[in-house]
């Protein structure tokens, strides 16, 4: 989404629309999970069509090409495991890959495995309708494709539906504006420009240092400060890469059996209260200096569970901010104090706090004085006017559910997904929504999503769906649906788990708090990827407990 004269990243290509075609499976989205779904389902001999709104593959790493975009999980891990030759041959230049390297990798995979021919680019799905009589999904796109399929796999991304706050006056702005997740492919020059950056989550924190490097002046409009740890990114040493490649098989297996689907050996020190303040500081300094700041969160066993223990870690991080930022008032404004560390997605930065020591950077508190309007010349807060040439919205997403609810999905009996999810995004095992047969979600609500490493968990979810499809087709079933009872039980389990964690103390996108009017519930399965995978496997082994399977196209029980 952009208000500039330059074209946005997602441009429809000229390929002819597919009209009234049939397929076994429609995959929505050619991001990392969607690409793997194409690979996996084609191997089953199924006819697969993929619709991708962009004109290239990579999903998140196609759209989020904003300055400074970089993954915050090591690339040796944040990569596909399904093909050993691929993981042995591919070379990651840095620990944490920049967007361009991730996009190049997605393109390589699409070409190497011949997946591109299955994808219709520039084809944004705008309607998905389940027809009960035939048990078929009718999927159509904005550019006119119409495909009927038995199954749909929605691999459309947990962080895809762009959130641009509804500030009055945006249309009147005389400069250029961009949302970070719809960044143009063409270079955006900040040279000599007065830039305003709204939002200081993971994205804003990555963008600010890069933009500040060339802008005449950067105003960072901050509503809530984030906890950010140093990424300590650097070129990947050959011996480290060699060591990983020599142990890929067992490490990937360990990742699949871990809470976050990552390989992160960490020395745990027990309770933070078992140590003197000096000992704690020494241990936390080690973690801070480590290659991966996320290790910090796991160094002590109780900082993620108890508010008192968490406060010790939070204060350590605030101390780091105060050490780096020379103006004490600015430092204090950058110190998060209203929620526990880890209760919102922890950020990883490269020089974020140092940015505020630059003479061309100003931090503006829009908690105290909110943005009231975009004006022709810039932006107005409750306290002041700011003249700007470029506005960057790093304001996040209608996360987890937004990509599906914006697609006009109707299930059995014509029920609208938005109506079904009006109170909460009810689902079963994060895969299915009762009343929407044969529609499988990847990284949807109810799954571990962003709380685990998404390429590995995406591969696992796709494998689960593929094995379900195999079972259904082999045994002659027309449809599978979740039961409303199983869905209720899954919601209750999700609530119970989330209610015991520190996540409840933050107004985060995890609970939908960033979107006005969005129902509030913790949308992500928090019991760990390992437990989640066991549960999903078990439910299938137990004769598809919680699902109804039908051989004919008769209506499934409506929720
Ligand atoms: P985000 O975490 O939702 O942050 C959005 C920011 O915009 C917040 O600071 C928010 O303030 C602010 N904002 C929203 N509406 C506003 C308004 N009306 N006025 C003023 N400020 C407003 O979004 P994000 O930074 O794009 O990150 C989303 C997720 O993407 C991350 O949590 C992470 O999972 C993923 N991500 C990962 C990476 C990585 O791997 N390195 C990089 C980027 C993103 P409030 O906090 O007050 O709402």
């Amino acid at each position: 989404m952009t208000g500039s004269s330059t074209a946005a990243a997602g441009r429809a290509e000229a390929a002819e629309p597919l009209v009234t075609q049939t397929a076994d499976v429609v995959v929505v989205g050619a991001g990392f999970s969607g690409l793997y779904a194409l690979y996996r389902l084609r191997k089953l001999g199924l006819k697969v069509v993929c619709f991708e709104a962009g004109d290239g593959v990579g999903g998140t790493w196609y759209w989020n090409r904003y300055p400074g975009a970089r993954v915050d999980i090591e690339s040796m891990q944040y990569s596909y495991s399904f093909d050993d030759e691929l993981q042995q041959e591919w070379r990651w230049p840095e620990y944490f890959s920049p967007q361009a390297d991730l996009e190049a990798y997605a393109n390589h995979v699409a070409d190497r495995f011949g997946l591109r021919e299955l994808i219709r680019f520039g084809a944004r799905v705008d309607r998905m309708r389940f027809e009960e009589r035939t048990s078929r999904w009718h999927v159509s796109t904005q550019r006119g494709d119409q495909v009927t399929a038995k199954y749909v796999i929605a691999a459309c991304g947990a962080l895809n539906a762009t959130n641009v706050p509804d500030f009055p006056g945006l249309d009147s702005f005389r400069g250029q504006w961009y949302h970070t997740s719809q960044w143009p492919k063409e270079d955006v020059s900040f040279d000599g420009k007065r830039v305003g950056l709204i939002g200081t989550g993971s994205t804003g924190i990555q963008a600010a240092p890069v933009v500040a490097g060339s802008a005449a002046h950067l105003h960072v409009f901050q509503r809530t400060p984030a906890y950010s740890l140093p990424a300590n990114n650097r070129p990947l040493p050959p011996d480290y890469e060699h060591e990983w490649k020599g142990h890929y098989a067992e490490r990937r297996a360990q990742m699949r059996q871990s809470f976050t689907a990552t390989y992160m050996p960490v020395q745990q020190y027990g309770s933070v209260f078992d140590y003197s303040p000096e000992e704690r500081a020494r241990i936390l300094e080690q973690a801070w200096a480590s290659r991966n700041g996320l290790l910090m969160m796991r160094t002590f066993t109780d900082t993620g569970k108890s508010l008192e223990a968490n406060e010790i870690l939070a204060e350590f991080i605030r101390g780091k901010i105060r050490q780096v930022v020379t103006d004490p008032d600015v430092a204090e404004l950058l110190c998060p104090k209203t929620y526990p560390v880890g209760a919102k997605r922890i950020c990883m930065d490269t020089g974020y706090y140092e940015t505020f020591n630059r003479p061309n950077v100003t931090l503006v508190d829009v908690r105290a004085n909110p943005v009231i309007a975009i004006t022709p010349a810039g932006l107005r807060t409750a306290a002041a006017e700011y003249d700007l040439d470029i506005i960057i919205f790093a304001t996040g997403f209608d996360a987890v559910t937004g990509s599906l609810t914006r697609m006009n999905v109707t299930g059995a009996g014509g029920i609208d997904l938005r109506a079904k999810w009006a109170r909460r995004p009810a689902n079963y095992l994060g895969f299915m929504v009762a009343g929407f047969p044969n529609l499988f979600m990847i990284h949807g609500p109810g799954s571990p999503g962003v709380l685990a490493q998404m390429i590995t968990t995406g591969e696992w979810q796709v494998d689960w769906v593929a094995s379900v499809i195999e079972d259904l087709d082999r045994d002659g079933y027309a449809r599978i649906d979740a039961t409303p009872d199983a869905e209720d039980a899954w919601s209750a389990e999700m609530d119970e788990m989330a209610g015991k964690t520190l996540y409840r103390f933050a107004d985060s996108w995890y609970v939908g708090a960033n979107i006005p009017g969005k129902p509030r519930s913790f949308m992500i399965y928090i019991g760990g990827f390992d437990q989640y995978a066991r549960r999903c496997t078990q439910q299938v082994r137990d004769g598809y407990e919680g699902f109804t399977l039908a051989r004919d196209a008769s209506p499934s029980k409506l929720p």
Side-chain angles (χ1 to χ4, degrees), residues 66 70-72 159 165 167 198-204 206 223-224 344-345 366-367 394-397 450 509 514:
Y66 59 85
R70 185 180 289 282
V71 70
D72 61 3
L159 295 162
F167 296 129
I198 305 175
T200 53
S202 302
T203 299
Q206 289 187 331
R223 190 164 66 181
T224 311
K344 287 186 175 194
R345 166 77 176 223
V366 292
R367 170 73 61 190
T395 42
F397 303 89
V450 293
W509 62 257
N514 65 326

Coordinates of all heavy atoms in Angstrom, one line a residue, residues 66 70-72 159 165 167 198-204 206 223-224 344-345 366-367 394-397 450 509 514, ligand 1:
Y66 N 11.0 -3.4 3.0 CA 11.3 -2.1 3.5 C 12.8 -2.0 3.9 O 13.5 -3.1 4.1 CB 10.4 -1.8 4.7 CG 10.6 -2.8 5.9 CD1 11.6 -2.7 6.8 CD2 9.7 -3.9 6.0 CE1 11.7 -3.6 7.9 CE2 9.8 -4.8 7.0 CZ 10.8 -4.6 7.9 OH 11.0 -5.6 8.9
R70 N 14.9 -7.8 7.8 CA 15.8 -8.9 8.0 C 15.2 -9.9 9.0 O 14.4 -9.5 9.9 CB 17.1 -8.3 8.7 CG 18.2 -9.2 8.9 CD 19.4 -8.4 9.6 NE 20.0 -7.5 8.7 CZ 20.9 -7.8 7.8 NH1 21.3 -9.1 7.6 NH2 21.5 -6.9 7.1
V71 N 15.4 -11.2 8.8 CA 14.8 -12.1 9.7 C 15.5 -12.1 11.0 O 16.7 -11.7 11.1 CB 14.9 -13.6 9.0 CG1 16.3 -14.1 9.0 CG2 14.0 -14.5 9.8
D72 N 14.8 -12.5 12.1 CA 15.4 -12.5 13.4 C 15.6 -13.9 14.0 O 15.8 -14.1 15.2 CB 14.6 -11.6 14.4 CG 13.2 -12.1 14.6 OD1 12.9 -13.1 14.0 OD2 12.5 -11.4 15.3
L159 N 0.9 -12.6 8.9 CA 1.3 -11.2 9.0 C 1.3 -10.7 7.6 O 2.3 -10.5 6.9 CB 2.6 -11.0 9.7 CG 2.6 -11.4 11.1 CD1 4.1 -11.6 11.6 CD2 1.9 -10.4 12.0
P165 N -3.5 2.8 9.9 CA -4.5 3.5 10.8 C -5.3 4.5 10.0 O -4.9 5.1 9.1 CB -3.6 4.2 11.8 CG -2.3 3.5 11.8 CD -2.1 3.0 10.4
F167 N -6.2 7.4 9.9 CA -6.0 8.9 10.2 C -6.7 9.7 9.2 O -6.5 9.5 7.9 CB -4.5 9.2 10.2 CG -3.6 8.5 11.2 CD1 -2.5 7.9 10.8 CD2 -4.0 8.5 12.5 CE1 -1.7 7.2 11.8 CE2 -3.2 7.9 13.5 CZ -2.1 7.2 13.1
I198 N 6.0 6.1 11.6 CA 5.0 5.8 12.6 C 5.1 4.3 13.0 O 4.9 3.4 12.1 CB 3.6 6.1 12.1 CG1 3.5 7.6 11.7 CG2 2.6 5.9 13.3 CD1 2.2 8.0 11.0
G199 N 5.4 4.0 14.2 CA 5.4 2.6 14.6 C 6.8 2.2 15.0 O 7.8 2.4 14.3
T200 N 6.9 1.5 16.2 CA 8.2 1.1 16.7 C 8.1 -0.4 17.2 O 8.6 -0.7 18.3 CB 8.6 2.0 17.9 OG1 7.6 2.1 18.8 CG2 9.0 3.4 17.4
G201 N 7.5 -1.2 16.4 CA 7.5 -2.7 16.6 C 8.8 -3.2 15.9 O 9.7 -2.4 15.5
S202 N 8.8 -4.5 15.6 CA 10.0 -5.1 15.0 C 10.3 -4.4 13.7 O 11.5 -4.2 13.4 CB 9.7 -6.6 14.6 OG 9.3 -7.3 15.8
T203 N 9.3 -4.0 12.9 CA 9.6 -3.4 11.6 C 10.1 -2.0 11.8 O 11.2 -1.7 11.2 CB 8.2 -3.3 10.8 OG1 7.8 -4.6 10.7 CG2 8.4 -2.7 9.5
G204 N 9.5 -1.1 12.5 CA 10.0 0.2 12.7 C 11.4 0.3 13.3 O 12.2 1.1 12.8
Q206 N 13.7 -1.9 12.8 CA 14.7 -2.3 11.8 C 14.8 -1.1 10.8 O 15.9 -0.9 10.3 CB 14.2 -3.5 11.0 CG 14.3 -4.8 11.9 CD 14.0 -6.0 11.0 OE1 13.3 -6.0 10.1 NE2 14.6 -7.2 11.4
R223 N 4.3 5.2 19.9 CA 3.2 5.1 20.9 C 3.6 4.2 22.1 O 3.4 4.6 23.2 CB 1.9 4.5 20.2 CG 0.7 4.7 21.0 CD -0.6 4.5 20.2 NE -0.7 3.1 19.7 CZ -1.7 2.7 18.9 NH1 -2.7 3.6 18.6 NH2 -1.8 1.5 18.4
T224 N 4.2 3.1 21.8 CA 4.6 2.2 22.8 C 6.0 1.7 22.5 O 6.3 1.2 21.5 CB 3.7 0.9 22.9 OG1 2.3 1.3 22.9 CG2 4.0 0.1 24.1
K344 N 5.0 -8.9 24.4 CA 4.8 -8.6 23.0 C 6.0 -9.2 22.3 O 7.1 -9.4 22.9 CB 4.9 -7.0 22.7 CG 3.7 -6.3 23.1 CD 3.8 -4.9 22.7 CE 2.5 -4.1 23.0 NZ 2.5 -2.8 22.3
R345 N 6.0 -9.4 21.0 CA 7.1 -10.0 20.3 C 8.4 -9.2 20.6 O 8.4 -8.0 20.3 CB 6.8 -9.9 18.8 CG 7.9 -10.2 17.9 CD 8.3 -11.7 17.8 NE 9.3 -11.9 16.8 CZ 9.3 -12.9 16.0 NH1 8.4 -13.7 15.9 NH2 10.3 -13.0 15.1
V366 N 3.8 9.8 20.8 CA 2.4 9.9 20.3 C 1.5 9.1 21.3 O 0.3 8.9 20.9 CB 2.2 9.5 18.9 CG1 2.9 10.6 18.0 CG2 2.7 8.1 18.5
R367 N 2.0 8.6 22.4 CA 1.1 8.1 23.4 C 0.5 9.4 24.2 O -0.7 9.5 24.4 CB 1.9 7.2 24.4 CG 1.2 6.9 25.7 CD 0.1 5.9 25.5 NE 0.6 4.6 24.9 CZ -0.2 3.6 24.4 NH1 -1.5 3.8 24.5 NH2 0.3 2.5 24.0
A394 N 4.9 2.0 9.8 CA 5.3 0.6 10.2 C 4.4 0.2 11.3 O 4.7 -0.1 12.4 CB 6.8 0.8 10.8
T395 N 3.1 0.2 10.9 CA 2.0 0.1 11.8 C 1.4 -1.3 11.9 O 0.3 -1.5 12.4 CB 0.9 1.1 11.5 OG1 0.7 1.2 10.1 CG2 1.3 2.5 12.0
G396 N 2.1 -2.3 11.3 CA 1.7 -3.7 11.5 C 0.6 -4.2 10.7 O 0.3 -3.7 9.6
F397 N -0.1 -5.2 11.3 CA -1.0 -6.0 10.5 C -2.3 -6.3 11.2 O -2.4 -6.3 12.5 CB -0.4 -7.4 10.2 CG 0.9 -7.2 9.5 CD1 2.1 -7.1 10.2 CD2 1.0 -7.2 8.1 CE1 3.3 -6.9 9.5 CE2 2.2 -7.1 7.4 CZ 3.4 -6.9 8.1
V450 N 3.5 -17.5 15.0 CA 4.7 -16.7 15.1 C 5.5 -17.0 16.4 O 6.6 -16.5 16.6 CB 4.5 -15.2 15.1 CG1 4.0 -14.8 13.8 CG2 3.5 -14.8 16.2
W509 N -0.7 -7.4 19.2 CA -1.5 -8.0 18.0 C -1.8 -9.4 18.2 O -2.6 -10.0 17.6 CB -0.7 -7.7 16.7 CG 0.7 -8.3 16.6 CD1 1.8 -7.6 16.7 CD2 1.0 -9.6 16.2 NE1 2.9 -8.5 16.4 CE2 2.4 -9.7 16.1 CE3 0.2 -10.8 16.0 CZ2 3.0 -10.9 15.8 CZ3 0.9 -12.0 15.7 CH2 2.3 -12.0 15.6
N514 N -4.4 -4.4 18.4 CA -4.0 -3.3 17.6 C -5.0 -2.9 16.5 O -4.8 -1.9 15.9 CB -2.6 -3.7 16.9 CG -2.8 -4.9 15.9 OD1 -3.7 -5.7 16.2 ND2 -2.1 -4.9 14.8
Ligands
LIG1 P1 3.6 -4.2 15.2 O1 4.5 -5.1 16.1 O2 2.2 -4.4 15.3 O3 4.0 -2.7 15.5 C1 3.2 -1.7 15.0 C2 3.7 -0.4 15.6 O4 2.9 0.6 15.1 C3 3.6 -0.4 17.1 O5 4.6 0.4 17.6 C4 2.2 0.3 17.3 O6 2.1 1.0 18.5 C5 2.3 1.4 16.2 N1 1.0 1.9 15.8 C6 0.0 1.2 15.3 N2 -1.1 2.0 15.1 C7 -0.7 3.2 15.5 C8 -1.3 4.5 15.6 N3 -2.6 4.6 15.3 N4 -0.6 5.5 16.1 C9 0.6 5.4 16.5 N5 1.3 4.2 16.5 C10 0.6 3.1 16.0 O7 4.0 -4.4 13.7 P2 5.4 -4.8 13.0 O8 6.5 -4.0 13.6 O9 5.2 -4.7 11.5 O10 5.7 -6.3 13.4 C11 4.7 -7.2 13.3 C12 5.3 -8.6 13.5 O11 5.9 -8.9 12.3 C13 6.3 -8.7 14.6 O12 5.8 -8.8 15.8 C14 7.1 -9.9 14.1 O13 6.4 -11.1 14.5 C15 7.0 -9.8 12.6 N6 8.3 -9.1 12.2 C16 9.4 -9.9 12.2 C17 10.6 -9.3 11.8 C18 11.8 -10.1 11.9 O14 11.8 -11.3 11.8 N7 12.9 -9.5 12.0 C19 10.6 -8.0 11.4 C20 9.5 -7.3 11.3 C21 8.3 -7.9 11.7 P3 1.4 0.2 19.8 O15 2.5 -0.8 20.2 O16 1.1 1.2 20.8 O17 0.2 -0.5 19.2

